[in-house]
Amino acid sequence: MKKTLIALLLCAATLPAQAALDPAPVRQLAAEDSSAKVAAIRQLTQTADPDAVRVLKAMAEDSLFLAGDKVVIIDGEQAFDATSGEAIKMPANPESPTVNNRIRGELASALAALKLFDADVGVRLASAQKLQSQVTPEMAPLLARALEKESDAQIKALLTLAHAQANLANTDPAARLEAVKALAETSSPTIKSVLLPLTEKAGEPDDKVRYEAIAAVKAIDSRLAIAENVGRAFSGLSLGSILLLGALGLAITYGVMGIINMAHGELLMVGAYATYGMQSLFRAFAPDYIDWYLPAAIPVAFFAAALVGVVMERTVIRWLYGRTLETLLATWGLSLVLIQSARVLFGAQNVEVSNPSWMSGGIEVMPNLILPWNRIIIVGFAMFVLFLVWVLMNKTRLGMFVRAVTQNRAMAGCVGVPTARIDTMAFALGAGIAGLGGVALSQISNVGPDMGQGYIVDSFMVVVVGGVGQLAGAVWAALGLGIFSKLLEGWAGAVIAKISILVCIIIFIQKRPQGIFALKGRFVE
């Protein structure tokens, strides 16, 4: 039994005598008929009396009993008169009234309504939020009283909506019209479903009220559509962030070496499996710090993917520079090797990579729009990686060498740039950035041997559209493709959206083959 119930009962027993509850509805709580119990609960709720809270809470916690002609509350070895709250002798054979699901739902709504008069603002706010989906027409007078006494603006706004919902069943058409006008200002799908019956003559006989309900439903639909589009745009932004992490490394390697690396998607997979490996290590050896496996996985994924990239470049790719078709076929073969290796090491089935607790949940922007924390953090992570790459490419000696080799390999070699070493370092850097993309991808997608296959084509599209070796172009292309594809998917479906994007890219490349941002320099290979 809850300690709060004991405290309420003891306080009730020690306070000076007050006007007791009406014994008739209290006695009716033990009636056989469920409808009679519901009527008694509603009658007690209308009193907004603290003693009503005591009785209804006892009934909800199965502490209310019938002893002869008296209703009592039993708490352990103590018994109290339900009507007056006075301590009484423990009854011999108390009977517990039947409390079915209907009664429990009514009790929950009643207790939530009575909490609107609590002194604690937090309790009142939680009660007002709960009532948004539990309001009944009988609560209208109680809500009106709570609305008059409420001073908090947020709670008052919620009570206004709840009171309007309760008034939809009012016999006065003017009251119903005001209720519909108040509800028309919301963006809640629940409110829309409440108003829909009023748009038919069978549900609302008054023409003015019915026309206002139709207009209200249209207004709510419009706001819901805006929220859906914002949600799709945000999903596209998070998808674009993943594409950006995949395309950044591809843009560097393709720009420096002219390599069409078909195994770049598998480097994403390496980063994702590295994340899975760190999660497994933390679960086995540091379960108390499991929420920190993701930050620890970031450097591990970067260096794991970079190491795989160095091995690929040193063993296969370095012998095929200048032979584009051969590099395409060779890297495609490498992608198959990496996929089969992952299947041998981790199995053919997807593995579980769970979000840390600090990435769970989201921010509710609108009633039908919640922005998940994992996607918000991924967008921020992608922007942070982009900033680091920009600093590396524009403020360091390695970045200067990479840009020199990208613009004119032969001239860079003539002035002392170690092009072979730059090739290896650039490939390792591009592979490491892809590994970071795998870390982000593991938080929103399944981790399996084939996961990289779905991103390699899109990453190449980002590089081609953005412009070879251009970070700004990669950013605009990745975010644009991500947002555009998600918006199209919502309107036309995934297949039509993919076809439309491909057609648009083909037309764009025909009109501007150098991409959004052309490579600058005296000579471009």
Side-chain angles (χ1 to χ4, degrees):
M1 195 61 58
K2 294 184 178 179
K3 294 182 178 180
T4 53
L5 178 59
I6 298 174
L8 282 171
L9 294 172
L10 291 175
C11 289
T14 56
L15 287 173
Q18 298 179 1
L21 290 172
D22 184 354
V26 175
R27 179 68 177 78
Q28 197 172 334
L29 291 175
E32 294 292 334
D33 184 29
S34 293
S35 297
K37 292 177 184 175
V38 169
I41 292 170
R42 291 177 177 175
Q43 185 176 346
L44 288 173
T45 304
Q46 295 303 321
T47 64
D49 192 325
D51 285 337
V53 177
R54 169 175 55 81
V55 173
L56 295 178
K57 189 171 184 180
M59 188 175 185
E61 295 177 351
D62 297 323
S63 300
L64 193 72
F65 293 88
L66 180 64
D69 60 347
K70 186 177 293 187
V71 179
V72 299
I73 297 174
I74 297 178
D75 179 36
E77 300 299 325
Q78 293 180 300
F80 303 87
D81 185 278
T83 304
S84 63
E86 296 176 352
I88 60 174
K89 182 180 178 181
M90 181 67 70
N93 296 305
E95 297 179 7
S96 177
T98 302
V99 181
N100 54 30
N101 289 337
R102 179 190 175 191
I103 302 300
R104 290 196 184 280
E106 194 71 31
L107 285 169
S109 299
L111 289 171
L114 288 170
K115 287 179 183 177
L116 294 174
F117 299 90
D118 197 281
D120 188 350
V121 175
V123 173
R124 298 202 307 273
L125 177 60
S127 176
Q129 290 172 335
K130 188 175 182 180
L131 280 177
Q132 298 304 301
S133 59
Q134 297 180 351
V135 67
T136 60
E138 292 77 15
M139 291 183 184
L142 185 70
L143 291 169
R145 272 188 285 166
L147 196 56
E148 289 177 3
K149 295 181 178 180
E150 187 56 60
S151 57
D152 185 88
Q154 185 181 3
I155 300 175
K156 202 162 189 174
L158 292 172
L159 288 178
T160 300
L161 292 178
H163 186 249
Q165 289 185 66
N167 270 334
L168 290 177
N170 199 301
T171 55
D172 184 7
R176 296 200 303 273
L177 183 63
E178 290 300 317
V180 170
K181 287 181 179 179
L183 295 175
E185 301 300 321
T186 68
S187 302
S188 171
T190 304
I191 299 298
K192 177 189 170 183
S193 64
V194 171
L195 291 175
L196 276 176
L198 303 183
T199 61
E200 303 290 338
K201 191 157 185 145
E204 177 49 64
D206 189 87
D207 291 340
K208 288 184 178 180
V209 178
R210 187 168 63 257
Y211 294 150
E212 190 66 35
I214 293 172
V217 168
K218 288 182 179 179
I220 293 174
D221 276 335
S222 176
R223 287 191 288 273
L224 290 175
I226 292 173
E228 288 177 2
N229 289 330
V230 172
R232 292 190 190 109
F234 179 75
S235 296
L237 184 64
S238 62
L239 172 62
S241 300
I242 299 293
L243 293 178
L244 177 61
L245 290 173
L248 278 176
L250 197 60
I252 293 172
T253 56
Y254 184 63
V256 172
M257 295 170 281
I259 298 298
I260 301 177
N261 183 13
M262 296 301 294
H264 196 75
E266 279 57 57
L267 296 173
L268 285 168
M269 178 260 291
V270 170
Y273 271 115
T275 306
Y276 167 71
M278 289 304 299
Q279 176 188 257
S280 300
L281 287 175
F282 269 71
R283 281 180 175 173
F285 300 105
D288 294 338
Y289 301 95
I290 186 64
D291 279 347
W292 298 103
Y293 85 87
L294 192 60
I298 292 174
V300 174
F302 178 85
F303 287 110
L307 179 61
V308 173
V310 169
V311 173
M312 289 168 56
E313 195 275 336
R314 284 288 182 176
T315 57
V316 177
I317 296 173
R318 71 178 303 179
W319 310 105
L320 300 173
Y321 289 144
R323 297 154 64 182
T324 306
L325 181 60
E326 284 85 344
T327 58
L328 186 149
L329 294 174
T331 53
W332 179 61
L334 288 172
S335 73
L336 297 180
V337 171
L338 290 173
I339 290 172
Q340 292 303 322
S341 300
R343 286 175 177 160
V344 170
L345 291 173
F346 301 100
Q349 302 298 321
N350 293 337
V351 296
E352 177 198 0
V353 178
S354 57
N355 293 137
S357 61
W358 47 270
M359 286 182 69
S360 302
I363 301 174
E364 184 175 355
V365 180
M366 298 179 71
N368 65 325
L369 177 59
I370 297 177
L371 304 183
W373 274 117
N374 58 350
R375 291 185 178 272
I376 294 173
I377 292 173
I378 284 171
V379 172
F381 177 66
M383 295 301 105
F384 178 68
V385 173
L386 175 65
F387 172 73
L388 292 182
V389 173
W390 179 85
V391 171
L392 178 67
M393 296 296 290
N394 292 276
K395 303 297 182 181
T396 66
R397 186 178 181 83
L398 174 62
M400 181 181 66
F401 284 170
V402 169
R403 287 184 284 120
V405 174
T406 301
Q407 292 183 23
N408 194 318
R409 173 181 288 271
M411 184 59 70
C414 290
V415 298
V417 175
T419 55
R421 188 185 304 167
I422 294 301
D423 288 339
T424 302
M425 296 181 70
F427 204 91
L429 175 62
I433 295 172
L436 296 180
V439 175
L441 190 58
S442 69
Q443 301 302 301
I444 61 173
S445 180
N446 294 325
V447 176
D450 301 316
M451 64 181 295
Q453 296 290 301
Y455 291 89
I456 182 63
V457 175
D458 290 338
S459 297
F460 269 112
M461 287 194 297
V462 169
V463 173
V464 173
V465 172
V468 176
Q470 298 296 309
L471 294 183
V475 173
W476 284 103
L479 299 183
L481 285 176
I483 294 173
F484 188 47
S485 63
K486 286 299 181 181
L487 289 176
L488 275 180
E489 283 180 14
W491 298 332
V495 176
I496 300 298
K498 198 72 171 179
I499 294 172
S500 301
I501 290 172
L502 289 174
V503 170
C504 291
I505 289 176
I506 291 170
I507 295 173
F508 177 81
I509 293 175
Q510 287 179 338
K511 299 296 184 183
R512 191 176 175 84
Q514 70 270 32
I516 298 175
F517 295 95
L519 191 63
K520 296 180 181 180
R522 293 177 178 271
F523 178 78
V524 181
E525 289 182 335

